[in-house]
Amino acid sequence: MDKKILLSPPDLGGQELKYIHEAFDTKCILSQGTNIEVFEKELEKFIGGGSFVAALSTGTAALHLGLVKLGVKAGDEVICQSFTSSASANPITYLGAKPVFVDSEADTWNMCPKALEDAIKSRAIATSKKPIAIVIVNLYGMPAKMDEIMAVARKYEVPVLEDAAEGLGSTYKGRQCGTIGHMAALSFNGNKIITTSGGGALVCQTKEQKDHVVFLSTQARDTAAHYQHSHIGYNYRMSNIVAGIGRGQMEVLKDRIAARRSNNAFYQDLFKDIEGVTVFTEPSEDFFSNHWLSCITIDEAVCGKNREQLRLALLEDNIETRPLWKPMHMQPVFQDAPYYGTNVAEKLFDRGLCLPSGSNLTDEDRERIAKAVRAFFK
Ligand SMILES: *Cc1c(COP(=O)(O)O)cnc(C)c1O
């Protein structure tokens, strides 16, 4: 059997071990040190927009602290894109708040601005208060329609937390994802566009915010020789070892984006003559996706095959694919949460498949994929 072609494996740049060794050599293996400082600086430089970045242990931790900073408290309602990872929604519940799920729109697969406004209005009537925050996502790297989303957010004065875990390096009207909302979470989990093995970051707009996030993420210690606490803290800071991996990965981020985008171009070409299959790509020039994962939707009414048949056929050839995210409002754990929309995400889940998208996908891998796909649709 040929070797397994994975969906999105890590892709090391080469310098990562050097920076880890530096951490050991200088005995800086704690939650502070040069690797953390440089990694944060490099991220700030890369995403721009005057951002301040706090490196944390995971993207989920970043979302959790982002919600804390936006003032989410027990009993509040937080609007969340339904079509996403459970990690976008779970931190809402960590705070005792309740998620309200909003559908996606067909062209970006991200939160529908109309459904968002409908949800805010309906919740104000149902609960006589406004939702306290909005979590939007750049799914598979595709930017959301941020002008429209931010206009609704401003109109109702609800802050926006961007879950940019999948969107590092994507831009909307020339602005980096993660710099458009009020705060943003990044992830460096093993399958993301760059990885630190596990890691995340919270993107802030001011140095004061960042300093406070670092304070909260290191057990919220007051200034004193002993352990003195006036706030509930968290143990969410990134370690200086892990940040060394991030430092090495920042050196190759641009190449990783180019490689993922070339995968998408490959799939566009592969599927261009296969009727009923659509490769997900940018709706207009305003959007630049890092194409973290390349995805397709299959219309069974047109091609007589469905995504599950394709998934199983590719698996026979040791090629890993995965159905799109199952929307959160369809998950048993969130069955009681309110949902606003017209089932766009449900249809996408039914028809969609993520294809092998690693930045280390080889020409040989592509040939195998092309052969298997052509055989399946013959
Ligand atoms: C990966 C991911 C997260 C969580 O990040 P971790 O670093 O794995 O905690 C959150 N949201 C989305 C959309 C993700 O893809």
Side-chain angles (χ1 to χ4, degrees):
M1 177 90 106
D2 291 324
K3 81 162 179 27
K4 184 151 194 166
I5 300 179
L6 296 167
L7 192 71
S8 183
D11 187 5
L12 293 174
Q15 298 298 312
E16 289 87 355
L17 261 182
K18 184 180 92 184
Y19 297 124
I20 291 177
H21 278 135
E22 267 181 37
F24 275 82
D25 293 343
T26 55
K27 302 204 166 44
C28 281
I29 55 169
L30 308 167
S31 292
Q32 56 194 40
T34 310
N35 285 338
I36 296 180
E37 282 164 31
V38 174
F39 184 42
E40 288 180 340
K41 276 273 156 327
E42 291 298 322
L43 282 165
E44 286 166 1
K45 207 162 76 191
F46 182 85
I47 63 174
S51 307
F52 294 85
V53 174
L56 300 172
S57 54
T58 64
T60 310
L63 287 160
H64 189 181
L65 286 187
L67 294 171
V68 168
K69 287 296 291 171
L70 294 181
V72 175
K73 301 215 163 51
D76 288 336
E77 288 193 336
V78 175
I79 290 189
C80 183
Q81 182 165 322
S82 182
F83 193 38
T84 185
S85 154
S86 64
S88 308
N90 285 339
I92 298 168
T93 70
Y94 302 167
L95 290 164
K98 296 181 199 135
V100 171
F101 292 112
V102 169
D103 200 7
S104 289
E105 37 148 28
D107 53 356
T108 67
W109 293 7
N110 290 311
M111 192 183 283
C112 170
K114 285 197 202 74
L116 168 62
E117 181 157 18
D118 180 32
I120 295 176
K121 283 196 207 155
S122 303
R123 294 323 291 165
I125 294 166
T127 67
S128 67
K129 50 175 211 175
K130 275 184 319 199
I132 205 92
I134 300 164
V135 180
I136 67 101
V137 189
N138 328 113
L139 216 61
Y140 303 116
M142 186 64 68
K145 280 197 188 138
M146 289 308 285
D147 278 354
E148 286 88 338
I149 300 271
M150 294 310 287
V152 175
R154 266 193 303 275
K155 183 171 167 188
Y156 296 93
E157 299 179 312
V158 187
V160 171
L161 175 59
E162 281 183 80
D163 180 348
E166 302 177 2
L168 180 60
S170 299
T171 66
Y172 172 75
K173 297 189 177 172
R175 298 166 72 189
Q176 289 282 333
C177 286
T179 64
I180 307 172
H182 295 88
M183 299 198 110
L186 304 174
S187 168
F188 315 109
N189 183 28
N191 65 358
K192 296 295 177 354
I193 193 149
I194 58 167
T195 181
T196 58
S197 71
L202 188 62
V203 182
C204 305
Q205 289 181 341
T206 66
K207 179 155 189 314
E208 289 67 38
Q209 285 175 338
K210 174 189 164 168
D211 290 346
H212 192 235
V213 168
V214 171
F215 165 77
L216 291 175
S217 72
T218 49
Q219 306 289 22
R221 275 185 74 186
D222 296 341
T223 322
H226 59 277
Y227 284 89
Q228 170 86 14
H229 305 278
S230 313
H231 299 270
I232 296 293
Y234 302 83
N235 186 7
Y236 279 173
R237 189 67 162 143
M238 181 177 277
S239 100
N240 197 50
I241 294 176
V242 158
I245 308 176
R247 230 178 126 180
Q249 289 274 279
M250 282 311 286
E251 293 171 0
V252 293
L253 173 55
K254 285 199 173 117
D255 303 335
R256 299 301 180 257
I257 296 167
R260 300 253 176 184
R261 286 180 58 82
S262 99
N263 289 336
N264 193 265
F266 157 71
Y267 288 119
Q268 301 279 356
D269 187 58
L270 175 61
F271 287 103
K272 69 178 188 295
D273 299 325
I274 301 177
E275 256 184 273
V277 178
T278 310
V279 180
F280 181 43
T281 194
E282 293 102 330
S284 80
E285 301 274 293
D286 289 343
F287 300 81
F288 176 91
S289 172
N290 65 16
H291 287 306
W292 171 58
L293 294 186
S294 282
C295 310
I296 53 169
T297 50
I298 305 179
D299 187 348
E300 194 169 1
V302 174
C303 64
K305 314 236 174 170
N306 61 41
R307 71 117 157 104
E308 197 50 19
Q309 291 163 337
L310 177 59
R311 189 182 73 80
L312 294 172
L314 292 176
L315 197 59
E316 285 280 300
D317 285 324
N318 224 12
I319 298 167
E320 184 184 38
T321 64
R322 190 168 297 152
L324 301 186
W325 294 114
K326 181 170 180 175
M328 288 304 118
H329 73 277
M330 297 171 73
Q331 299 286 354
V333 73
F334 291 124
Q335 62 188 359
D336 298 328
Y339 162 75
Y340 295 88
T342 52
N343 299 330
V344 172
E346 276 188 52
K347 261 181 238 136
L348 289 169
F349 171 60
D350 192 45
R351 296 176 176 186
L353 200 64
C354 305
L355 303 171
S357 302
S359 43
N360 41 15
L361 201 69
T362 63
D363 286 344
E364 199 186 318
D365 295 337
R366 292 179 186 204
E367 265 166 45
R368 265 177 64 196
I369 294 166
K371 205 168 136 219
V373 163
R374 289 200 192 98
F376 175 79
F377 283 103
K378 203 158 73 188

